[in-house]
Amino acid sequence: MSETRRPDFRKEQETTLARPHMKYTGMARALFKAMDLAYGKGTTLPKVRLLEILARIPYQAWETRQYAKLSTQYHRYADVQRAMEILHWGREAQDNEFWHLLVIEERMRLEGVREGWLWENVAPHVACFKYAWFSRWMARFDIRRAFYMNAEFEDHAEHVYMKFVKDHPELEKQKVDSEIVQMHPQGPFETWADVFRRIALDERDHMNHSLKHCGLSDRVVPYVSLATP
Ligand SMILES: [Fe+2]
Ligand SMILES: [Fe+2]
C-alpha cells in the first residue's frame, strides 16, 4: 500500500520543511499542547517514544470496529470491501509504527538516554489507557473524523522528524550498525539521518492514507523525487 520505490530522502526533507503544517483543529492542538506540557516544547527521544507507543492505538481501534462490522454486515459486499481495506491498511501501518518504536528505543539505548521510573513505567500506561478509550469512541461514532485527526497527527510527526534531522547535522555522519534499524523494506540505511528521514516519510504515507480514507484524496502530498517527468 505504501510507495515501494525509494525516494530521494534529502529532496523529500526539503519539501516537507518547505510545506506549511496542516491547519490543525482545536482537538489536535490540545493534544500537542498536552505533550509539550509533559515533555517540553523541543523534540526529544523520550517524547517521540511516547508518540510512537500511542501511534498504533487508533489503527487498533479501527481494526476492532471493522471486525465488529464484518460480524454483522458480511452480506453487504461493498461494506465488506471497505472494512477489509481499512483492516489491511491498519495492519501495515501498525507494523510500521512498531518499527519506529524499536528504532527510537535502539537510539535511546545507544545514546544511554534513560527516564525516571515513573516516566518509563507509569506515564505510557496512563496515556495509552486514555488514548485507547478516546480512539475507540471516535471509531464507533465518527470514524471519518478519526481518520482526519490521524492525518493531522501524522502531518505533525512528519514535520517533527524532518526538523529533528535538520537540527542534528551530526546524524548525517553516523553510520547505522543495528539489525533492528535495518528491518525496514527500504533498508539498508547508511546513516541515522536517513533512518529518521525514512520515518518522517512513513508518517507522510500514514497521513496520505488517512486523507484518502476520509475522502480528501486531493490533499494527498506526493513524492516530488518520484514524479515522472
Ligand atoms: Fe511513527
Ligand atoms: Fe504514523
Side-chain angles (χ1 to χ4, degrees):
M1 288 175 87
S2 298
E3 178 58 68
T4 49
R5 289 174 300 158
R6 187 166 169 153
D8 180 327
F9 292 145
R10 283 173 188 268
K11 204 166 179 182
E12 297 300 336
Q13 182 184 12
E14 283 167 24
T15 61
T16 301
L17 295 175
R19 187 179 92 235
H21 288 244
M22 284 170 76
K23 204 166 180 292
Y24 299 129
T25 56
M27 210 175 300
R29 285 202 309 272
L31 279 162
F32 299 147
K33 187 90 192 154
M35 285 299 294
D36 288 350
L37 284 172
Y39 283 89
K41 252 187 169 313
T43 301
T44 61
L45 292 171
K47 189 179 184 182
V48 292
R49 181 172 66 176
L50 180 63
L51 288 173
E52 294 298 352
I53 291 172
L54 296 174
R56 280 173 300 141
I57 290 177
Y59 297 102
Q60 289 162 359
W62 303 339
E63 197 173 24
T64 306
R65 178 72 191 133
Q66 299 316 304
Y67 279 125
K69 281 177 100 172
L70 287 178
S71 302
T72 56
Q73 295 170 23
Y74 50 86
H75 51 285
R76 292 190 211 151
Y77 190 57
D79 290 350
V80 169
Q81 271 188 314
R82 174 152 169 81
M84 295 298 286
E85 214 179 285
I86 295 169
L87 283 168
H88 187 179
W89 162 46
R91 285 186 204 129
E92 190 187 61
Q94 279 181 70
D95 289 349
N96 182 243
E97 296 288 15
F98 189 63
W99 175 72
H100 296 174
L101 179 57
L102 293 176
V103 169
I104 302 299
E105 182 64 18
E106 178 72 349
R107 183 78 197 173
M108 286 178 73
R109 189 184 68 76
L110 293 171
E111 284 195 3
V113 178
R114 296 294 306 267
E115 290 186 288
W117 185 87
L118 206 68
W119 287 97
E120 289 255 351
N121 298 286
V122 180
H125 293 288
V126 174
C128 283
F129 176 78
K130 287 184 174 181
Y131 195 45
W133 180 87
F134 175 73
S135 299
R136 277 184 215 135
W137 189 86
M138 289 287 286
R140 176 75 183 83
F141 295 104
D142 196 348
I143 200 161
R144 194 176 179 279
R145 181 115 192 256
F147 293 152
Y148 187 77
M149 191 179 289
N150 200 57
E152 294 180 292
F153 294 158
E154 303 287 6
D155 172 77
H156 186 261
E158 180 192 344
H159 281 89
V160 161
Y161 280 118
M162 288 302 196
K163 185 160 185 311
F164 183 75
V165 176
K166 186 184 168 213
D167 293 344
H168 293 273
E170 71 277 11
L171 295 171
E172 306 284 358
K173 293 195 181 92
Q174 293 175 2
K175 303 286 177 206
V176 182
D177 182 19
S178 161
E179 203 181 315
I180 293 169
V181 177
Q182 301 293 20
M183 266 167 36
H184 194 285
Q186 286 192 350
F189 303 103
E190 205 190 328
T191 66
W192 273 93
D194 276 350
V195 172
F196 281 109
R197 281 191 278 251
R198 182 58 259 177
I199 293 178
L201 294 175
D202 289 341
E203 310 298 13
R204 185 195 292 177
D205 291 338
H206 302 159
M207 174 188 71
N208 284 341
H209 283 120
S210 303
L211 288 170
K212 279 183 198 163
H213 278 85
C214 64
L216 296 170
S217 297
D218 56 312
R219 288 176 59 182
V220 161
V221 175
Y223 280 79
V224 286
S225 65
L226 295 179
T228 40

